[in-house]
Amino acid sequence: MSQIHRKTASTMAVTAVALMAVAGIATVYFVFDPSESGLFPRCPFLTMTGWRCPGCGSQRALHSLLHGDIAGAWRLNAMLLIELPLMVALTVAWLLRGRYPGFRKALNSQTLILTLLTLIIIWTIARNIAQI
């Protein structure tokens, strides 16, 4: 087997395992409501400080999103809905990194990373001041 075929087979295997993991996690979040189930961990930052971290509400938002409640997901954690398309784009960029290296490079640029970090910091401060 050539080196190119081994890389392709390896990428396909990793992709298949990742898709199965995502499907399994999505199933758990669809079936169980994080606000009612003891299955899900509580945010240690919120527990220790009383302040919401950037991810607070993400589990409940994901549950709402999987049930088609976009407005509810937005109320629970708007940043999750903003970042989901970026996460999908990063995954696609990784999968197609050999074919479209410029796309991956653009998504992994210092400018985009610093912009996202700035937005997360602003989101964290705003949600704690305004109790969002």
Side-chain angles (χ1 to χ4, degrees):
M1 185 181 281
S2 73
Q3 186 176 358
I4 293 172
H5 286 99
R6 269 189 244 126
K7 284 184 180 180
T8 303
S10 173
T11 299
M12 289 174 55
V14 168
T15 302
V17 169
L19 286 173
M20 287 188 288
V22 167
I25 291 168
T27 301
V28 169
Y29 277 98
F30 182 83
V31 173
F32 298 101
D33 184 350
S35 62
E36 297 175 2
S37 173
L39 178 68
F40 303 95
R42 294 191 44 86
C43 175
F45 186 77
L46 177 64
T47 301
M48 290 188 304
T49 66
W51 297 344
R52 294 180 183 186
C53 76
C56 276
S58 293
Q59 295 182 98
R60 291 172 289 139
L62 183 57
H63 176 78
S64 293
L65 195 59
L66 290 170
H67 284 272
D69 182 7
I70 296 170
W74 182 266
R75 279 190 307 277
L76 291 164
N77 192 328
M79 187 58 75
L80 176 72
L81 293 181
I82 292 168
E83 289 179 349
L84 275 176
L86 178 60
M87 288 187 258
V88 170
L90 285 167
T91 302
V92 170
W94 180 81
L95 290 171
L96 301 176
R97 65 191 177 279
R99 188 173 289 166
Y100 302 104
F103 180 52
R104 183 169 182 253
K105 186 177 178 181
L107 288 177
N108 288 298
S109 71
Q110 184 177 5
T111 302
L112 182 64
I113 292 167
L114 291 175
T115 300
L116 184 59
L117 180 60
T118 302
L119 288 172
I120 290 170
I121 291 169
I122 291 168
W123 164 246
T124 304
I125 293 168
R127 78 183 313 197
N128 283 291
I129 290 173
Q131 295 299 312
I132 299 173

